[in-house]
């Protein structure tokens, strides 16, 4: 391995950021509109940025406390922690800043130039988030590797970076999730159900807040989520590789994984090399989507993703050969990338295929059967993804042990540049529709944005399944690294499944996702209730509002959502960070090991169930709106609207929090691992 | 230990059965009524017995296949298996036969003699099930122990008995659960919501089937569920005790648990001694309830349970001393019994306390918020029971290792005679109300039965929480026994939590409860849809039915529920039995070990969530019916009726199946354990 090659990753990261900036220039060169369109877009933009600012201020306080604690362990770890937190925050800010510029330009493109230009604008807007996430990850992890990748003990410093990223992610995801669904549920319940005005109607005071929520939840929240999975998978791979040469019998494992030309450092460097390759392939994928978007939008997104993934798989074989690593490791990459595709396909089936249509059909017998069938679909939808993850586990560990499992996680996440771009495209398209409706640009524009939105919904569901699969593999890798680090310091450390302490840990871990989910669901319920009060008050007290003669006080709704989210995001984040610390220091590393596995299982199961129940309800409603089972405003439709409302917090608040919950718990455990003794 | 003492348990079992028969005589000495009352009661009785007959025929086929398979392993295990299956079936038949005699006598007692006599009749009716379950367990396990308890290797034969009991239980629970909720949901959706006629109205063709369902689901199903937990906990304790002297270092563990006068056999015999003590205390408790029922019914039930539990805890100290066993083992009994009380209290809080009232309040903003808050309550309700189980695990294993955990399970289940009596009281009271309504005995009688029913609902919810706690401890003990048996044959067998094979097993195990739940929920949905079709058809085609001028064809509805349940109970049962067999033989005992732990966690979490969400929705509806938040027929009430309907399959079909799913998987694994090799 050439000594200069370590500079490739951070340099590619910088290049990626430059690429993202170029796209930003392309977008902002288009006009942001004027009059009401610009005013509405501005309100959304400023609302989102204001929320982010206040959110980051709160996180900063929490981060300083954690950072000081880490200072006592190792100043470098503390520094890396702050860098991770800053990197994640910047990625979120950049993504959201540009998403709230791209939304209005998408609206205008749809209005003035037609569907093709609109799709291109929305996709490019989202791609900035995707490319930024990948680039910041490479820059951060790669940059730290330049300084701390030399000796194997040093790599522990890099764990701090992952912890910083995770801390920001849990706040962004939970806070953003509460904000967006408080606004959405609140605006829907009063607007659609009580006052009988359509979705995104400008008379509804909660609508702007709802659009702000799409950005803070689905752009910044999702971005920070994938950012931490991305960094975690790389860092876990490094940690496992570093520990191999230290542990008993590790030398022979090591030798089996490398050729004559390879060294132990090659294995540590591999995740960065793979991620770099993935970024290049993603950029190519973005270019392909951009090129073919004019044909069929959905097809273009698909071709772009598949091309990027295929190119990555092929290129990674070359990279692995160049680094002198055994081809068996490449098979691990393959299982990860392939597994990601499989999980995405399973998600698409449950939220868009026959199971979804069965839910729609069950609406003919009322709300109760819609609820029962939706919950059943969510429960059933865990099977295929978990079989896939199990398959990856068996295959990857067969090829290269736990190192192989970690490499599979990197393989799944390497093309995050393109997958995240497509994820972030969804809320941009959604916002574009909202702006079109609110500024009264006519039904033709709205038709175009609706179509874009529909494509976005499918991709968003797939993206969620993918995020869960990636998070579970990444945290598996982190848990493996935790076991290795604790073992290194405590030779008698052993996690026996039949040990009552391990079983206790598994039970405690299993209850954590249920507790956190119930807290976030209640948070949405309470925040939505505050929002409902305010919207009702405005309809009652502002004369002429319902007739369209007066403007609603949208600012106040944004403020309510902001305060509600900031107040209620704290407890789940505190549980995620403190539970492993308390269990680790009070009950010891054995119980903590069990806790992580129990939490992993519980998080993955709940995350899949909630995401897919919610997604299927949402799509069942849309399926009926297309004229099936009585169409819009039929009894069946009303039943499905309830399903959609119930699904909202499940799929956009509680469900997505699960990915981060397990990752935060795992990374916190890894960081405190050197301090634990049996 | 005196050699004659082994006869105590089976003799006590026979005495208990005699006691139950005496109670039966007391009940049947009362008149069963005549005219319409007797006709309705007969329909229910015959419908329930007909379903049981057909169910048992189907189980017999399945049992013969399994029994032949076991024959190849060990003819004695096969024999024990059939005995277990027969014992469980007989217990279910006796309990249900008497429950369907007691229901109408409760109605008549309420009508002719007032609330006190009604409560006594209903409780005595339920107590036959409770006493029979405990007695059959003692007779079966104790009887086998007389023959196979002499050498430690022989105790494996007794595992067959537990497997037979478990096999019957999963069919009874799942089949009964589908029957009862298909009828209930079907009758409610057409009757209450479409035709606007009240609950239990004789014009509704599905009402008799609904009342049949209460018996086959809540009496026979619940009874077989607790019967297998009861037997499993005893058998697991024996297995662990037997393995102690065989394993490396086991001798010293053994010595720590016994005094000079005790022997290894004392430890093996202890669970039978404890269960015998528990049965005697339970009989005392039944007598106490019977004595004080005339004062306050709810109080009488409580005093009876607490007296029995307290007497048991004290008496068990004496038993442990007499057997020459260390007092530390008694602390394990204490944690088990105390834990059961704690879990019951937690369940009562979530389904009857502030969380339930919060759901009722959320009905003011509609169905969607009722659903969200109910799911959140269910998720939150897992925390306290799991903390309790974790506490028991830590404490009991501290006092006496895995043996202590198994003893704690026995401690929790020893007073099953009284807890199961109170459980079975609920459906008897429920049926009594149904008969009163259908035969038009007037509002005063109905008021009395409603009050009895209300008490029954609270006790049923507590009973469910208790059943889950007991099942989880029992299966923990079985899993521990599995590990010991496999280890004995494979010295290199080790279950490391960081082993990818173990993790794979945990994932596979975790998905099983979600898969089975989705299957049973869909089974209820589909069966209810068939029922809805039939009820609609009768209202449409039978002239004068809605005006009360013609009788509905109730037989046909019973037949539909019967066929639907028999058809759909097969798949879940097959999964439960075959999954561990396939995983064990194809992927090996290491993956199977992980599978059991993953399934245990998933089952406990889902069981608690579904039982408590469902129970809380049910009670929230009743809370509103008492005049809160607008009372009956308000919008809030309608919202809660939907919640109740959604909760029905969760709390009475899918949720309760979870207890048995994990127990079946565990006991099947234990039985095949000697055949597995790493």
């Amino acid at each position: 391995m050439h000594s200069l090659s370590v500079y490739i990753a951070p340099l590619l990261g910088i290049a990626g950021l430059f690429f993202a900036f170029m796209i930003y220039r392309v977008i902002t060169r288009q006009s942001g509109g004027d009059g009401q369109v610009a005013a509405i877009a501005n309100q959304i933009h400023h609302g989102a940025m204001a929320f982010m600012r206040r959110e980051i201020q709160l996180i900063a306080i929490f981060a300083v406390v954690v950072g000081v604690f880490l200072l006592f362990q190792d100043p470098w770890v503390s520094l890396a922690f702050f860098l991770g937190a800053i990197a994640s925050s910047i990625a979120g800010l950049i993504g959201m800043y540009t998403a709230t510029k791209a939304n209005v330009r998408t609206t205008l493109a749809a209005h003035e130039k037609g569907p093709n230009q609109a799709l291109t604008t929305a996709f490019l807007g989202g791609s900035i988030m995707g490319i930024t996430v990948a680039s910041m990850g490479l820059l951060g992890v790669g940059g730290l590797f330049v300084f701390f990748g030399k000796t194997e003990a040093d790599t522990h410093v890099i764990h701090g970076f992952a912890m910083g990223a995770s801390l920001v992610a849990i706040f962004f995801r939970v806070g953003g999730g509460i904000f967006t669904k408080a606004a959405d549920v609140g605006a829907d319940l009063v607007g659609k159900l009580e006052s009988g005005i359509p979705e995104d109607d400008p008379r509804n005071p909660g609508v702007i807040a709802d659009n702000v929520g799409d950005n803070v939840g689905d752009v910044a929240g999702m971005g920070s989520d994938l950012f931490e999975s991305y960094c975690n998978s790389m860092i876990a791979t490094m940690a496992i590789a570093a520990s191999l040469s230290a542990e008993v019998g590790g030398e022979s494992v090591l030798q089996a994984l490398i050729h004559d030309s390879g060294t132990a450092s090659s294995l540590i460097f591999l995740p960065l090399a793979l991620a770099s390759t993935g970024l290049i392939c993603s950029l190519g994928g973005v270019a392909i989507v951009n090129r073919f978007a004019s044909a069929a939008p959905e097809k273009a997104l698909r071709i772009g993703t598949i091309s990027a993934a295929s190119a990555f798989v092929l290129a990674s074989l070359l990279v692995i050969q160049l680094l002198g690593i055994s081809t068996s490791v490449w098979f691990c990459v393959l299982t990860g990338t392939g597994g990601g595709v499989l999980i995405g396909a399973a998600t698409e089936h449950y939220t868009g295929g026959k199971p979804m249509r069965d839910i729609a059909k069950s609406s003919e017998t009322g709300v109760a059967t819609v609820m029962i069938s939706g919950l059943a679909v969510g429960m059933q939808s865990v099977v295929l993804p978990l079989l896939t993850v199990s398959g990856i586990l068996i295959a990857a560990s067969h090829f290269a042990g736990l190192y192989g499992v970690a490499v599979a996680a990197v393989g799944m996440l390497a093309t995050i540049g393109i997958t995240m771009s497509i994820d972030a495209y969804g809320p941009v398209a959604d916002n574009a529709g909202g702006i079109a409706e609110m500024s009264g640009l006519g039904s033709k524009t709205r038709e175009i944005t609706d179509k874009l939105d529909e494509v976005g919904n499918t991709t968003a569901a797939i993206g969620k399944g993918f995020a869960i699969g990636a998070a579970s593999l990444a945290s598996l890798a982190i848990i493996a690294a935790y076991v290795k680090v604790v073992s290194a310091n405590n030779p008698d450390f052993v996690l026996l499944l039949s040990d009552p302490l391990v079983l206790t840990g598994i039970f405690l871990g299993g209850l954590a996702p249920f507790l956190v989910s119930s807290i976030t669901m209640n948070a949405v319920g309470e925040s939505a209730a505050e929002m409902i009060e305010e919207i009702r008050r405005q309809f009652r007290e502002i004369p002429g509002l319902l007739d369209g003669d007066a403007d609603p006080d949208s600012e106040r709704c944004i403020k309510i959502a902001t305060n509600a989210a900031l107040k209620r995001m704290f407890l789940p984040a505190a549980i995620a960070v403190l539970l492993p610390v308390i269990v680790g220091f009070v009950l010891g590393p054995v119980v903590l090991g069990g806790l992580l596995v129990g939490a992993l299982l519980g998080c993955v199961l709940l995350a899949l169930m909630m995401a897919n129940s919610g997604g299927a309800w949402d799509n069942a409603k849309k399926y009926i709106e297309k004229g099936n089972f009585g169409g819009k405003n039929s009894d069946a439709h009303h039943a499905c609207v309830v399903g959609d409302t119930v699904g909202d917090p499940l799929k956009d608040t509680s469900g997505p929090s699960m990915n981060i919950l397990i990752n935060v718990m795992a990374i916190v455990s890894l960081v405190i691992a050197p301090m634990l003794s049996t």
Side-chain angles (χ1 to χ4, degrees), chain A:
Chain A
M1 200 177 103
H2 196 277
S3 64
L4 282 181
S5 54
V6 296
Y7 294 100
I8 292 175
L11 287 177
L12 257 177
I14 293 169
L17 288 176
F18 181 73
F19 202 91
F21 180 68
M22 295 303 292
I23 297 178
Y24 172 74
R25 289 277 300 276
V26 169
I27 292 171
T28 46
R29 218 176 291 143
Q30 298 174 39
S31 152
D34 45 28
Q36 208 187 347
V37 175
I40 289 167
N42 262 329
Q43 267 191 303
I44 296 174
H45 177 72
H46 290 301
M49 295 310 285
F51 174 71
M52 289 288 279
R53 253 196 311 279
R54 288 198 49 199
E55 193 174 42
I56 289 174
Q57 281 164 6
L58 251 179
I59 298 173
I61 298 170
F62 200 87
V64 166
V65 175
V66 176
V68 168
F69 172 80
L70 290 174
L71 209 59
F72 289 105
Q73 188 199 356
D74 182 340
W76 292 114
V77 172
S78 181
L79 176 70
F81 166 78
F82 282 114
L83 287 179
I86 292 168
S88 177
S89 304
I90 290 178
L93 275 173
I94 291 178
M96 224 191 51
Y97 187 90
T98 44
T100 51
K101 295 277 171 189
N103 55 7
V104 59
R105 287 166 177 85
T106 303
T107 313
L108 292 170
H111 189 60
E112 292 158 9
K113 296 174 193 156
N116 300 349
Q117 188 60 34
L119 177 93
T120 309
T121 309
F123 176 71
L124 287 181
S127 73
I128 294 177
M129 181 86 235
I131 297 169
T132 306
V133 162
S135 304
M136 289 298 287
L138 272 182
L139 179 58
V141 179
L144 284 170
F145 185 78
V146 170
F147 296 101
F148 300 101
K150 280 167 209 149
T151 74
E152 277 139 9
D154 270 359
T155 54
H156 186 65
V157 170
I158 310 181
H159 303 168
F161 186 85
M163 185 164 160
S166 295
L167 188 79
V168 169
I170 191 145
F171 279 106
F172 274 22
R173 218 1 161 178
V174 174
I178 296 173
F179 186 115
T180 178
K181 289 304 127 175
D184 190 5
V185 172
D188 278 2
L189 283 181
V190 185
K192 276 198 260 183
L193 297 179
E194 288 184 16
S195 310
I197 56 177
E199 198 163 342
D200 287 336
D201 191 287
R203 289 168 292 176
N204 190 331
V207 160
I208 299 268
D210 185 4
N211 280 280
V212 171
D214 288 342
N215 290 294
V216 300
D218 294 346
V219 179
M222 181 72 147
S224 62
D225 181 351
L226 283 171
F227 181 75
E228 59 120 44
S229 287
Y230 183 65
C231 296
N232 278 3
S233 67
M234 285 193 273
I235 289 168
T237 315
M238 291 177 183
I240 294 173
S243 73
L244 274 181
S245 49
E247 77 189 45
V248 188
E251 201 59 42
S252 64
V253 179
L254 233 157
Q255 288 308 322
L257 297 178
I258 46 182
H259 291 310
D260 306 330
S261 61
T263 63
S265 320
S266 310
L267 292 177
I268 301 181
F269 179 65
L270 179 63
L272 281 171
L274 289 176
S276 302
T277 314
L279 177 57
I280 296 170
C281 297
S282 295
L283 294 178
V286 169
I288 287 174
V289 176
N290 202 24
R291 172 81 183 71
F292 292 101
S294 44
E298 203 155 346
K299 218 168 161 187
L301 296 176
R302 225 176 265 272
I303 291 175
T305 322
I306 292 174
S307 312
S310 315
F312 166 72
V313 168
L314 292 177
S316 62
L317 180 59
L318 193 72
V319 169
I320 283 171
Q321 298 292 348
L322 282 175
L323 286 170
I325 295 172
S326 156
T327 315
S328 64
V329 173
W330 177 72
F331 285 109
C332 304
V333 176
L334 193 63
T335 58
T337 314
V341 174
L342 267 182
I343 292 176
T347 312
E348 196 178 354
H349 170 67
Y350 281 104
T351 59
K354 187 173 175 297
M356 178 279 287
R357 291 193 298 275
D358 286 345
I359 296 176
K361 178 158 178 43
S362 74
S363 65
E364 292 187 306
T365 37
V367 183
T369 40
V370 167
M371 298 309 311
I372 293 173
S373 57
L375 288 172
V377 164
M379 287 180 174
Q380 206 187 320
S381 74
V382 310
V383 176
L384 287 178
L386 275 177
L387 285 180
T388 307
V389 172
S390 299
I392 294 175
L393 248 176
I394 291 189
S397 64
H398 167 75
F399 286 119
L402 284 171
Y403 180 75
V405 177
V407 168
V410 176
M412 195 183 274
L413 283 153
T415 50
I416 195 175
I418 179 96
T419 43
M420 177 74 222
S421 296
I422 292 174
D423 280 347
Y425 151 87
V428 174
D430 195 358
N431 254 247
I435 296 173
E437 179 80 30
M438 280 183 278
S439 43
L441 288 184
S443 64
K444 224 184 119 194
T445 307
R446 184 74 216 212
E447 243 168 59
I448 294 174
T449 57
D450 274 356
K451 198 142 199 183
L452 295 183
D453 190 21
E454 200 184 311
V455 176
N457 274 320
T458 313
T459 58
I462 298 173
K464 261 170 206 150
F466 173 82
I468 297 164
S472 65
L473 275 184
S475 59
L476 258 176
I478 296 275
I479 293 171
Y482 162 82
V483 174
K484 292 216 178 282
V485 171
V486 177
S487 302
N489 300 318
N490 303 275
D492 58 339
F493 175 72
V494 61
L495 287 177
L496 280 175
L497 196 59
S498 51
D499 182 348
L501 289 178
V502 171
L503 288 167
T504 300
I506 288 178
F507 280 131
L508 293 178
L511 68 83
F514 282 73
L515 176 61
V516 168
S517 293
S518 77
I519 292 172
T520 48
M521 279 167 71
N522 279 330
V524 170
E526 289 164 19
S527 312
E530 289 175 26
M531 185 65 79
I532 288 170
E533 282 307 306
E534 172 62 20
I535 298 176
R536 281 182 183 157
R537 186 196 65 80
Q538 293 199 21
F539 277 139
R540 203 171 50 232
E541 295 180 5
I542 300 180
L545 176 56
L546 263 178
D547 308 321
D549 298 337
D551 283 335
D553 186 355
S554 302
E555 288 299 326
R556 202 149 161 173
C557 289
I558 295 175
K559 203 166 276 172
I560 284 173
T562 301
N563 290 335
L566 293 178
K567 196 169 89 190
R568 292 183 176 86
M569 72 183 184
F570 217 78
L571 185 59
I575 291 174
V577 174
L578 294 180
L579 189 60
V581 173
I582 293 169
V583 168
F585 285 109
V586 177
L587 300 173
V590 172
V591 180
L592 181 53
L595 179 91
L596 292 179
V597 172
L600 171 60
L601 180 63
C603 284
V604 174
L605 287 168
L606 269 193
L608 287 166
M609 176 184 157
M610 296 199 280
N612 293 336
S613 282
W617 275 320
D618 189 352
N619 286 333
K621 184 195 72 177
K622 296 201 170 99
Y623 183 70
I624 289 183
E625 284 171 356
K626 280 184 194 152
N628 299 294
F629 305 113
K632 227 168 176 165
N633 291 321
S634 61
D635 282 347
H637 183 238
H638 290 308
C640 275
V641 167
V642 174
D644 181 34
T645 311
V646 175
D648 267 342
L650 295 185
K651 77 179 200 300
D652 292 323
T653 312
S654 305
S657 310
M658 295 294 102
N659 303 345
I660 307 189
L661 176 62
I662 177 57
N663 269 330
V664 170
M665 288 172 72
I667 195 75
V668 168
S669 304
L670 179 59
V671 169
I672 64 171
M675 294 183 269
L676 300 175
S677 56
T678 47

